[in-house]
Amino acid sequence: MASASIPVYNRSNNPLENSSSQNDPSVTLNVPLGAIGRVEKMGGASSRGENSYGLDITCKDMRNLRFALKQEGHSRRDIFDILFRYAFPLSHGLLLFAYLSQEKYEENGWSVYKPMEEFRRQGLPTDKWRITFINDNYELCDTYPTILVVPFKATEEDLRKVSTFRSRGRIPVLSWIHRENQAVICRCSQPLVGMSGKRNKDDERYLDVIREANGTAKLTIYDARPSVNAVANKATGGGYEGDDTYQNAELVFLDIHNIHVMRESLKKLKDIVYPNVEESHWLSSLESTHWLEHIKLVLSGAIQVADKISGGNSVVVHCSDGWDRTAQLTSLAMLMLDSHYRTLRGFQVLLEKEWISFGHKFASRIGHGDKNHADQDRSPIFVQFIDCVWQMTKQFPTAFEFNERLLMTILDHLFSCRFGTFLYNCESARDTNEVRSKTVSLWSLVNSDSTSYLNPFYTPESSRVLYPVASMRHLELWVTYYIRWNPRIRQQQQSPVEQRYMELLALRDEYLKKLEELQLTDSSPNSSHLSNSSASNAASPTQHINHLHTPF
Amino acid sequence: MRMFDGRVLLKQVILLFWPLISTWVQGAEKIDSCQLQVLEMLSSLGSAGGKSAKPSFVSYVTPEEIKSEKEPSRKEKHPDLLPGEVVFCSASTVLKYTQDDLSQRGVFGVLLCTNFRVSFVSDEEPTEEMGQLFKNKLYGENDIPLSCVDNIYGGSEDKRKLITGGLVKNKYPSKMIIHCKDLRVFQFSLSFSKEEDAKKIFQGIVHHCLEPKSLRCLFAFSYCENTSYPEAQRKKQTVMFDSVEDWTQDMKRTKGNCRVVSENSNFELSPKLPQYFIVPKNVSDEDLTKYQGKGLPMWCWSHHSGCALFKTASIPLVQEDNVPQTYMEKMLTAVAHNHLYSVKTEDLSDTLPTVQDILLSYNKFKQFFLIDNTTEFWMSDMKWFSSLDNCGWLDIIRQCLQKAVEVVESLEKENTNVLIMEEGGSDLCCVVSSLVQLMLDPYYRTLLGFQSLVQKEWVAGGHAFLDRSNHLHLKDKVESQSPVFLLFLECVWQLQQQHGPAFQFSETYLTVLSDSVHVPVFTTFLFNNDGHRDSLLRAESPHTQRSPLNCPTVWDWSVQFDCKAQDLFTNPLYTEKPKQDTSVRKSYRPRHLRQLSLPSSAFKTPPKKGFFKDEADNLKKILGVKRLSRWMLSPSSDSPQTSSSVREFYEAWQTKPLDYHGLLLPCLDGPSIRVWMQRYLRWIHDVQILGGGPVAMLSKVSEILGEVQELQRQLDRHGCTLTSNHKGARPRAKTAAAVIAARSSVRLSSSFPFVTSRNWAFKPAIPTSLLQSLMVTGMPGNLADREDDGGPESLV
């Protein structure tokens, strides 16, 4: 950008628009302030060269923006200060945009997820599983939701005891139950075993009660971490369930790496796709980011969970705290097992339930409105999960009611701060900040215009378990998301397959209508079918030429 | 399907199948006297180690055994032999391992070797008829046409040794692994068969698959002698380019203005030149006879602007001898004369990989798909992307496409005549010229158009199919083997993948075509050039009146597939160009004229590399250079510049709305060049997506297309006038969709239609050896070992 004029800046916070009046086509950029991760000045007063002085904006959505500014005046200082203030409102004592937005929608997205309703849909409570309100005031666990499902046999007292032995009190609770075989997915955090190898009889009994609930011989505990990391956690008081202490349980490590590894991996990915796609040895570069390899590990972990459940065995899933990898695994397994979550509404419920209500730390992982871009708590765990979902939709293009656009919209508003949906770390924080009453839900936007998020190829199949193939042969980079800012990637509103399908559907309806009309006229006494057809035949010779299919 | 644990059941099984050991005789009995002659000839070539010169079947069994196998229940224990097919040898109680695991399980049956194929006939009753949909009429899922055998390995315990033929005399391995050119992998255990049988079948297969043989031994000849194809039905509408008319027609269609040469109709000019071909107007009769056709610019295609694409076999320019140079110069001038005195030449030998490079790269590439077992599969999964990258196959595809785009740019944007050349002029020239035509001319993206293109550029164009595939295993031809045609199909697949709706044919069609190269029945792929084909077919003709042997071409798809299966060749996304109203049609212009999306006027930029009349003198100077440089008229253009120019061209094209009936350009960026999943992954059990894959979507399109077509028929019956935009809803008289429509998408897998899911348990493939797969290295501050949420409040 040679001599870009000052970016036109929308002070109403959102969105930021930059139009550069270059020679001919003016470029209009639309960047939600929430997507800005970092604003830096580049070059100083003494910088030479055309583009050496200006602003460098790093976005959370895989792009960087550079603006060259004129050195005269103090234009840069002003724009920098304003940007810095409004891009990171929380660091400046300001409100997030979601609290200022006046948007109105037909639908109220906050009503999408009602925990009791969802549990009832799953067939809960049963004689083995009960609903407890023990966490009504977030006393048992401040990062859990208020309504929990626990084994019928476990008393409130048991729960309190177990909570002392689980990191941050995140006790094993039910996420999903298989209607037929009653196998359950339970989620929790790591046990506080520590260096000394502490045991907790209550915890051991509690897990055994989970196993007993559907009468299987062994409970499988999936520890999402690599075993080395699980061992290392003992040093800080954590650890894993030892074989000798948990008699009827088997422990499987799923080798998924931590949030820091994922963050670095996506950073590397960004390096090879933005601003230009790496030319030479693209595939090797892609491999060296390990991004798809991590996706593969997460997916194959979820496949194992889903497979166990289908086989009638209950499972317990945890990582360290049970809000990152655990959420990925349980929600993906549920997506494989339960076709309801593959619908537009069901997917919203899944996110609300497994991610939002169970305390995935969105605020820390994304850093909404926070200027501290180097915060080690940031990590694209949720992006990675959505990528896994995308991989599944790619492999099963007819199994999901929603389309790619929904996934992109979710990721855009993960950062945008326009909706309250992904704000804050847990339910208790959301209550304190009155998110539900003061902000709009993302699902209000989506459900008010649900047709544009629907997959025309969707074919409901209620009882089918979807097992994606977690092989590098099938995993592919989500080009339309990660490389969407590249002008050479054709952004298609609709895939050609989809377009063709819609055309044909319209054509079918048109013909059906015509046929109906014809049959009506045929049955009317005054028009004889024969004369009718011969007349129109004679009248349309060109039409019949058109029918012939011989291009050459 | 029942499974046997080979080792445990050994005894039992031998008892059970003892009577079957000589079932092959059934086949032998079918042979009538006239075929015996063939049999004799073939066996004298040394079947089973050259044991006897007589029909070898007598020596295989004792009379007692012949008696014992007369039970009628054993009748079906050999494949249905094709006309002219003869069984050489067989062995029963052969165990065919199931591919998907290491448990050594499998199915017992009879293994046979005929003059057409290696065939395994299972002792199990065929289960469901699921697989029948896309059945190949010539060979089944357990048959390997002899030419399709790629490598044979002998295995014992865990070692594996490549069999090169000739070596084995009395030994045979307990396990035989066959890798096929269509990427299937078969593993047979011979340890349960009679020693004599096992030895014979092994040596027989090795002999017939790997040893040199003469062309007449290829199955096509005995097959064609015993079948007849009505000529009329056979050609359908594929333009064969075996007559003056075909060439004239094509030139007229593209408004070319060149000269059709028929002087070679009896191969008098050169047996290597096509029977008929087209050269620039200014090429004289005398020029035709020089250098056996080398250096002669052969017309490929004319652009609507008048410029045209030519290809030629380059003449090695010897420094002292000035004659070829003068000749070349003359030819170049002739090309330049074709349109506005402009010409660019491109020596593909300089800028594209050699045929040897192509072979080497493909040999590495194909190994990733010849998977013996699950463990191997998941092991190779770890380094999948870098392995792909390192073998360079995708890069070769990219280079070919890029070269084609460069040529397209010259024709479309600069309206310059282009002459591409290489030694021989029938390998990469064919790849590039066909790709250029596919990108520029929508006619070639129709099914018949594509077949005509292959006829024009490859078959008539003299691509040495026989040498390149080395069907005959001749030792002196090992060097010339190279999958050049496959490379072309790969490039087409990339184009089709990126611009699906532009192609009338489907991915399945391309896959089947790539397989058909290795089915030694079709004249299309058996010869090196027109002259070769003509002389052999005449020589082999059974009739004295010298009418050549009537063999099917690969385009006679009914030889391999019934109509329903052929429906899968059409792409449900394809729509015909909407017809324009009749007033436009009055002023007729060739079809492609209207369809090119970029009028050349839009690109009237100053010609960067073209040259015009006043520059003609430069020709001489430049031609004096020992070797023609690439884009010789712009010596400064090195490759980065070219690629940036190509990029500009692509970007300019990309900003325009996409017209599937106009110019098509491929995106060449890293993520856009991909692996042809259907072809390469179809047999690998671990990667099949049950109920998924693109087919799940396409079958829904086909389904609705079928409905629409049915409605149209009903409306037609009512005599209703359909005026509205019935865009391409009539691809054929009969529906292309009924086949898939009848099947629920749930049962299809990503490898549809090649593998049906009947054998698979619905169990997910869980990657093994995950831990080793991810060594996170080079992380700053050892992030991998860190806690997720570090810091003081980390743990309670």
Side-chain angles (χ1 to χ4, degrees):
Chain A
M1 235 169 275
S3 61
S5 66
I6 306 163
V8 180
Y9 172 54
N10 186 345
R11 280 187 192 225
S12 71
N13 260 2
N14 201 34
L16 159 70
E17 287 189 8
N18 284 307
S19 55
S20 85
S21 58
Q22 233 180 327
N23 353 6
D24 37 312
S26 77
V27 179
T28 308
L29 281 171
N30 205 322
V31 184
L33 291 177
I36 293 178
R38 178 181 189 176
V39 188
E40 300 254 290
K41 296 173 189 168
M42 54 177 190
S46 55
S47 298
R48 303 260 167 253
E50 267 197 353
N51 297 325
S52 58
Y53 181 84
L55 284 180
D56 190 6
I57 299 173
T58 311
C59 297
K60 295 170 180 173
D61 59 0
M62 302 291 287
R63 57 182 161 167
N64 287 9
L65 303 172
R66 290 181 147 225
F67 295 100
L69 296 166
K70 290 206 175 92
Q71 272 142 312
E72 305 88 60
H74 291 289
S75 61
R76 184 174 75 170
R77 197 184 60 199
D78 295 345
I79 188 77
F80 176 81
D81 288 348
I82 294 168
L83 257 184
F84 199 70
R85 219 172 128 75
Y86 289 99
F88 310 118
L90 292 188
S91 303
H92 296 92
L94 299 169
L95 284 174
L96 288 166
F97 181 70
Y99 286 89
L100 306 171
S101 165
Q102 305 283 318
E103 289 182 276
K104 295 269 181 292
Y105 294 98
E106 296 164 22
E107 294 261 338
N108 177 11
W110 293 123
S111 63
V112 161
Y113 177 57
K114 300 200 178 78
M116 287 302 280
E117 238 170 60
E118 166 58 17
F119 284 128
R120 223 170 288 135
R121 186 193 67 86
Q122 291 188 22
L124 294 163
T126 67
D127 56 344
K128 304 284 188 196
W129 294 91
R130 65 185 179 92
I131 288 165
T132 174
F133 300 97
I134 188 174
N135 202 33
D136 218 11
N137 296 312
Y138 306 108
E139 277 161 356
L140 182 80
C141 171
D142 59 353
T143 56
Y144 263 6
T146 52
I147 299 171
L148 301 170
V149 176
V150 294
F152 194 83
K153 276 192 178 174
T155 64
E156 309 290 79
E157 193 43 41
D158 291 337
L159 302 180
R160 281 196 192 92
K161 283 182 186 159
V162 172
S163 77
T164 61
F165 194 63
R166 289 281 160 178
S167 174
R168 300 172 203 270
R170 295 173 67 93
I171 61 165
V173 292
L174 180 145
S175 268
W176 191 78
I177 184 164
H178 193 287
R179 265 187 187 276
E180 275 97 59
N181 65 32
Q182 298 287 301
V184 297
I185 302 177
C186 287
R187 58 181 293 170
C188 58
S189 60
Q190 63 181 340
L192 298 173
V193 176
M195 289 296 265
S196 54
K198 267 182 286 177
R199 289 181 60 168
N200 183 308
K201 288 282 173 206
D202 299 303
D203 192 68
E204 288 163 32
R205 201 177 326 113
Y206 185 79
L207 288 194
D208 211 42
V209 168
I210 294 175
R211 176 192 62 82
E212 272 173 23
N214 82 331
T216 41
K218 256 204 156 63
L219 176 74
T220 308
I221 303 169
Y222 285 105
D223 188 328
R225 303 166 291 185
S227 58
V228 211
N229 295 41
V231 173
N233 258 291
K234 285 188 172 182
T236 48
Y240 54 91
E241 295 83 354
D243 290 347
D244 40 347
T245 47
Y246 292 81
Q247 293 282 329
N248 295 317
E250 55 167 350
L251 180 70
V252 178
F253 292 106
L254 294 176
D255 301 320
I256 302 168
H257 281 279
N258 65 26
I259 62 166
H260 311 290
V261 173
M262 302 311 179
R263 181 179 60 235
E264 295 309 310
S265 175
L266 190 63
K267 215 176 260 173
K268 280 190 195 164
L269 181 64
K270 185 175 175 178
D271 288 344
I272 66 163
V273 299
Y274 194 91
N276 290 311
V277 177
E278 182 88 14
E279 286 275 316
S280 59
H281 298 292
W282 157 254
L283 289 172
S284 299
S285 310
L286 183 61
E287 186 175 280
S288 70
T289 69
H290 296 296
W291 181 253
L292 287 176
E293 227 165 317
H294 294 306
I295 298 271
K296 168 180 165 171
L297 282 164
V298 173
L299 274 175
S300 57
I303 291 169
Q304 291 176 62
V305 172
D307 185 37
K308 263 283 183 291
I309 296 288
S310 302
N313 287 291
S314 291
V315 303
V316 169
V317 183
H318 70 73
C319 46
S320 297
D321 293 307
W323 50 45
D324 292 309
R325 290 168 269 198
T326 302
Q328 290 181 328
L329 290 168
T330 55
S331 52
L332 284 170
M334 286 157 74
L335 203 57
M336 292 172 198
L337 289 161
D338 190 339
S339 60
H340 175 65
Y341 297 126
R342 296 174 219 144
T343 62
L344 184 64
R345 292 282 180 139
F347 189 65
Q348 296 166 13
V349 169
L350 183 71
L351 297 187
E352 285 282 351
K353 179 170 154 24
E354 288 304 297
W355 289 85
I356 297 166
S357 85
F358 271 101
H360 172 67
K361 304 209 297 176
F362 282 104
S364 308
R365 297 290 175 257
I366 307 302
H368 293 129
D370 176 30
K371 66 175 180 179
N372 186 8
H373 61 82
D375 188 348
Q376 294 287 300
D377 268 355
R378 297 205 183 166
S379 185
I381 298 302
F382 187 72
V383 175
Q384 187 174 51
F385 160 73
I386 294 291
D387 194 333
C388 291
V389 175
W390 179 82
Q391 302 284 352
M392 283 183 70
T393 62
K394 263 315 242 198
Q395 296 195 12
F396 299 99
T398 59
F400 293 83
E401 192 192 21
F402 53 87
N403 59 14
E404 186 180 28
R405 186 174 166 194
L406 178 78
L407 300 180
M408 307 258 282
T409 306
I410 288 171
L411 288 186
D412 281 344
H413 296 298
L414 172 66
F415 306 120
S416 76
C417 299
R418 186 172 143 196
F419 300 99
T421 304
F422 297 117
L423 300 183
Y424 302 106
N425 281 335
C426 54
E427 289 288 273
S428 58
R430 264 171 229 119
D431 280 0
T432 318
N433 291 288
E434 298 168 277
V435 168
R436 277 172 169 260
S437 56
K438 291 192 168 167
T439 72
V440 178
S441 162
L442 170 58
W443 315 128
S444 303
L445 169 87
V446 170
N447 295 336
S448 303
D449 177 29
S450 52
T451 45
S452 49
Y453 299 99
L454 292 180
N455 168 17
F457 295 105
Y458 176 56
T459 318
E461 294 171 62
S462 53
S463 61
R464 183 153 158 249
V465 185
L466 285 193
Y467 292 118
V469 176
S471 157
M472 300 311 276
R473 269 83 159 178
H474 279 307
L475 299 182
E476 48 182 302
L477 186 69
W478 187 5
V479 168
T480 41
Y481 178 69
Y482 298 112
I483 321 187
R484 62 176 157 161
W485 308 118
N486 188 316
R488 287 220 274 164
I489 301 295
R490 206 179 263 274
Q491 287 293 330
Q492 278 163 325
Q493 281 306 306
Q494 251 181 344
S495 80
V497 189
E498 200 176 320
Q499 215 172 320
R500 170 78 166 144
Y501 190 64
M502 300 309 276
E503 272 172 24
L504 285 170
L505 281 178
L507 208 57
R508 182 184 64 178
D509 293 347
E510 185 194 318
Y511 287 174
L512 275 174
K513 223 176 101 198
K514 260 201 192 127
L515 206 61
E516 246 169 55
E517 282 166 16
L518 276 173
Q519 274 155 359
L520 274 178
T521 46
D522 280 357
S523 55
S524 70
N526 284 342
S527 77
S528 109
H529 171 79
L530 204 79
S531 66
N532 182 8
S533 81
S534 64
S536 60
N537 262 342
S540 62
T542 48
Q543 189 51 45
H544 283 265
I545 290 167
N546 282 0
H547 294 182
L548 294 172
H549 168 73
T550 38
F552 292 96
Chain B
M1 187 178 291
R2 275 184 297 157
M3 298 290 183
F4 290 97
D5 182 325
R7 282 164 220 292
V8 179
L9 292 174
L10 168 65
K11 231 178 181 175
Q12 213 178 326
V13 162
I14 289 188
L15 286 174
L16 192 62
F17 294 101
W18 193 248
L20 306 182
I21 280 170
S22 48
T23 26
W24 63 270
V25 176
Q26 307 253 333
E29 281 172 349
K30 276 190 181 169
I31 302 167
D32 57 34
S33 57
C34 80
Q35 285 173 332
L36 266 177
Q37 202 185 344
V38 181
L39 183 63
E40 224 158 356
M41 180 266 289
L42 290 165
S43 61
S44 68
L45 286 163
S47 87
K51 216 174 174 185
S52 78
K54 285 186 178 174
S56 53
F57 64 92
V58 184
S59 61
Y60 279 80
V61 272
T62 60
E64 297 85 55
E65 281 166 343
I66 292 175
K67 263 180 209 160
S68 69
E69 58 78 40
K70 292 282 182 192
E71 295 161 47
S73 62
R74 306 299 184 201
K75 274 274 188 224
E76 63 284 333
K77 289 294 179 272
H78 61 76
D80 295 329
L81 296 178
L82 296 170
E85 188 175 4
V86 177
V87 177
F88 289 143
C89 49
S90 71
S92 52
T93 351
V94 172
L95 181 71
K96 174 180 165 285
Y97 291 104
T98 44
Q99 193 217 345
D100 54 333
D101 54 43
L102 284 172
S103 62
Q104 304 287 304
R105 289 181 309 171
V107 190
F108 281 100
V110 184
L111 186 63
L112 308 97
C113 179
T114 77
N115 56 343
F116 170 55
R117 60 185 144 179
V118 173
S119 181
F120 176 81
V121 183
S122 165
D123 293 337
E124 307 269 331
E125 293 301 319
T127 44
E128 249 181 294
E129 293 301 288
M130 268 286 282
Q132 301 308 302
L133 166 69
F134 200 62
K135 196 173 176 287
N136 191 311
K137 293 195 216 162
L138 296 179
Y139 62 100
E141 57 178 348
N142 285 326
D143 296 335
I144 316 162
L146 297 182
S147 313
C148 187
V149 172
D150 194 8
N151 279 314
I152 300 176
Y153 295 90
S156 54
E157 299 308 311
D158 39 275
K159 274 183 282 181
R160 196 175 92 168
K161 198 178 147 212
L162 180 67
I163 309 288
T164 45
L167 291 172
V168 277
K169 268 284 164 275
N170 289 311
K171 284 203 295 186
Y172 67 93
S174 57
K175 192 171 170 186
M176 177 164 57
I177 304 163
I178 302 182
H179 287 180
C180 305
K181 287 178 178 167
D182 59 10
L183 303 150
R184 288 179 296 169
V185 173
F186 288 90
Q187 300 190 52
F188 298 108
S189 169
L190 303 175
S191 15
F192 309 106
S193 312
K194 274 208 303 181
E195 204 181 313
E196 188 71 355
D197 286 354
K199 194 168 84 186
K200 272 177 190 153
I201 191 74
F202 176 71
Q203 291 178 344
I205 289 174
V206 168
H207 175 85
H208 292 290
C209 295
L210 303 178
E211 292 291 312
K213 53 176 140 189
S214 81
L215 184 55
R216 327 177 50 237
C217 287
L218 286 183
F219 181 62
F221 295 98
S222 46
Y223 177 73
C224 299
E225 277 167 19
N226 291 282
T227 41
S228 59
Y229 285 91
E231 186 86 6
Q233 180 232 327
R234 170 190 146 180
K235 281 195 177 171
K236 281 200 177 159
Q237 297 125 3
T238 302
V239 185
M240 301 303 280
F241 288 91
D242 54 1
S243 67
V244 181
E245 293 74 40
D246 288 353
W247 284 97
T248 316
Q249 198 87 57
D250 201 52
M251 191 173 63
K252 273 191 188 149
R253 192 183 64 84
T254 60
K255 281 204 155 178
N257 186 25
C258 296
R259 167 185 169 196
V260 182
V261 178
S262 55
E263 278 84 344
N264 202 35
S265 61
N266 290 318
F267 306 101
E268 284 143 351
L269 296 177
S270 164
K272 288 190 172 178
L273 280 175
Q275 218 167 351
Y276 307 97
F277 53 92
I278 299 178
V279 293
K281 270 246 159 76
N282 286 16
V283 174
S284 67
D285 282 352
E286 192 188 330
D287 296 330
L288 294 175
T289 52
K290 291 238 178 81
Y291 303 107
Q292 302 89 44
K294 278 184 189 157
L296 202 57
M298 316 282 270
W299 174 88
C300 299
W301 185 79
S302 285
H303 186 253
H304 61 80
S305 66
C307 63
L309 173 65
F310 297 88
K311 63 179 175 186
T312 187
S314 50
I315 310 176
L317 295 176
V318 194
Q319 217 150 21
E320 299 304 312
D321 181 11
N322 223 19
V323 185
Q325 281 168 33
T326 347
Y327 178 71
M328 249 347 263
E329 197 179 311
K330 196 176 168 201
M331 290 301 108
L332 270 177
T333 321
V335 171
H337 255 286
N338 182 61
H339 178 70
L340 288 177
Y341 271 101
S342 63
V343 63
K344 276 185 186 178
T345 70
E346 167 82 24
D347 193 338
L348 300 177
S349 319
D350 291 346
T351 52
L352 287 180
T354 65
V355 288
Q356 283 80 26
D357 294 338
I358 292 166
L359 176 69
L360 281 176
S361 174
Y362 182 69
N363 278 345
K364 280 189 220 156
F365 176 73
K366 74 180 179 197
Q367 290 307 325
F368 307 142
F369 309 98
L370 295 162
I371 301 283
D372 290 347
N373 58 61
T374 297
T375 318
E376 198 185 311
F377 174 82
W378 289 110
M379 288 294 282
S380 62
D381 205 45
M382 299 175 212
K383 290 282 159 212
W384 168 244
F385 287 123
S386 51
S387 317
L388 266 187
D389 217 7
N390 293 336
C391 78
W393 181 245
L394 293 181
D395 202 50
I396 292 180
I397 294 169
R398 191 195 324 269
Q399 288 179 50
C400 292
L401 285 167
Q402 161 130 4
K403 188 58 66 190
V405 175
E406 284 171 30
V407 175
V408 168
E409 187 188 4
S410 304
L411 294 166
E412 175 80 18
K413 189 173 156 188
E414 292 156 24
N415 298 152
T416 314
N417 295 303
V418 177
L419 175 67
I420 50 175
M421 57 175 79
E422 79 183 306
E423 198 190 326
S426 58
D427 289 302
L428 289 160
C429 274
C430 299
V431 175
V432 172
S433 71
S434 325
L435 288 176
V436 168
Q437 293 173 65
L438 272 170
M439 290 176 197
L440 281 163
D441 192 337
Y443 164 56
Y444 293 123
R445 297 179 219 138
T446 64
L447 194 126
L448 289 175
F450 181 74
Q451 298 187 161
S452 306
L453 180 68
V454 173
Q455 279 298 130
K456 178 166 90 166
E457 292 299 325
W458 294 81
V459 180
H463 175 67
F465 278 109
L466 185 66
D467 287 355
R468 292 290 174 243
S469 58
N470 199 13
H471 283 325
L472 307 179
H473 304 282
L474 303 178
K475 297 283 180 259
D476 58 330
K477 296 286 186 195
V478 171
E479 289 292 296
S480 56
Q481 208 174 330
S482 187
V484 180
F485 185 64
L486 176 65
L487 173 63
F488 163 63
L489 296 181
E490 283 263 16
C491 295
V492 178
W493 183 85
Q494 304 289 345
L495 273 170
Q496 192 200 42
Q497 210 50 25
Q498 292 186 21
H499 307 293
F503 292 85
Q504 193 191 22
F505 49 88
S506 65
E507 176 183 28
T508 302
Y509 170 83
L510 288 176
T511 306
V512 167
L513 183 57
S514 76
D515 288 344
S516 303
V517 174
H518 312 297
V519 182
V521 166
F522 311 110
T523 52
T524 318
F525 304 122
L526 287 184
F527 306 99
N528 283 333
N529 48 51
D530 270 357
H532 191 211
R533 177 177 301 102
D534 185 76
S535 65
L536 262 140
L537 290 181
R538 274 179 205 286
E540 289 303 313
S541 170
H543 311 292
T544 40
Q545 66 268 36
R546 283 179 60 82
S547 80
L549 189 63
N550 186 10
C551 283
T553 71
V554 72
W555 318 126
D556 300 326
W557 290 111
S558 56
V559 174
Q560 290 191 79
F561 298 97
D562 60 26
C563 295
K564 282 200 164 175
Q566 282 182 55
D567 283 345
L568 293 171
F569 290 172
T570 51
N571 173 10
L573 299 183
Y574 179 74
T575 49
E576 271 178 70
K577 172 102 176 157
K579 296 273 199 289
Q580 297 178 349
D581 51 78
T582 38
S583 57
V584 177
R585 207 179 298 161
K586 273 177 201 161
S587 59
Y588 177 77
R589 295 149 79 206
R591 186 185 173 91
H592 74 280
L593 271 189
R594 283 180 273 119
Q595 291 170 350
L596 294 169
S597 63
L598 290 180
S600 59
S601 56
F603 278 106
K604 273 295 180 201
T605 48
K608 268 182 288 178
K609 299 168 204 156
F611 89 89
F612 293 87
K613 271 176 196 163
D614 49 327
E615 293 177 75
D617 285 346
N618 284 341
L619 251 182
K620 208 171 252 176
K621 217 188 288 170
I622 291 149
L623 282 166
V625 180
K626 187 173 151 202
R627 215 168 163 83
L628 295 165
S629 67
R630 62 190 305 271
W631 296 135
M632 60 168 210
L633 298 170
S634 58
S636 62
S637 77
D638 44 18
S639 81
Q641 261 179 328
T642 320
S643 84
S644 77
S645 149
V646 163
R647 174 168 305 171
E648 268 170 44
F649 181 57
Y650 177 79
E651 277 166 8
W653 171 79
Q654 205 207 18
T655 53
K656 306 237 153 61
L658 182 56
D659 175 10
Y660 288 121
H661 297 277
L663 173 68
L664 279 193
L665 293 180
C667 178
L668 300 171
D669 278 349
S672 303
I673 304 292
R674 316 166 63 138
V675 173
W676 186 352
M677 301 288 235
Q678 190 194 51
R679 176 175 155 81
Y680 293 104
L681 296 182
R682 59 194 152 147
W683 314 116
I684 303 174
H685 170 264
D686 298 77
V687 288
Q688 303 317 333
I689 307 169
L690 281 176
V695 66
M697 231 174 352
L698 285 177
S699 63
K700 293 209 79 171
V701 176
S702 301
E703 206 173 299
I704 205 89
L705 182 62
E707 277 180 49
V708 167
Q709 286 167 343
E710 180 51 40
L711 285 170
Q712 266 169 348
R713 267 190 294 276
Q714 288 183 26
L715 286 170
D716 277 351
R717 246 176 275 135
H718 283 273
C720 174
T721 331
L722 297 171
T723 44
S724 64
N725 52 337
H726 56 290
K727 244 176 151 180
R730 304 172 179 272
R732 282 181 162 195
K734 67 185 166 50
T735 169
V739 190
I740 323 180
R743 327 167 66 78
S744 141
S745 66
V746 189
R747 292 163 82 190
L748 305 179
S749 87
S750 56
S751 57
F752 178 85
F754 293 95
V755 178
T756 44
S757 49
R758 73 194 133 107
N759 295 337
W760 300 337
F762 200 72
K763 204 58 179 137
I766 295 169
T768 51
S769 49
L770 284 169
L771 192 57
Q772 304 97 295
S773 74
L774 231 181
M775 303 307 248
V776 183
T777 49
M779 280 283 166
N782 238 350
L783 287 174
D785 305 334
R786 289 253 295 277
E787 231 341 80
D788 265 1
D789 293 278
E793 47 105 38
S794 151
L795 283 169
V796 194

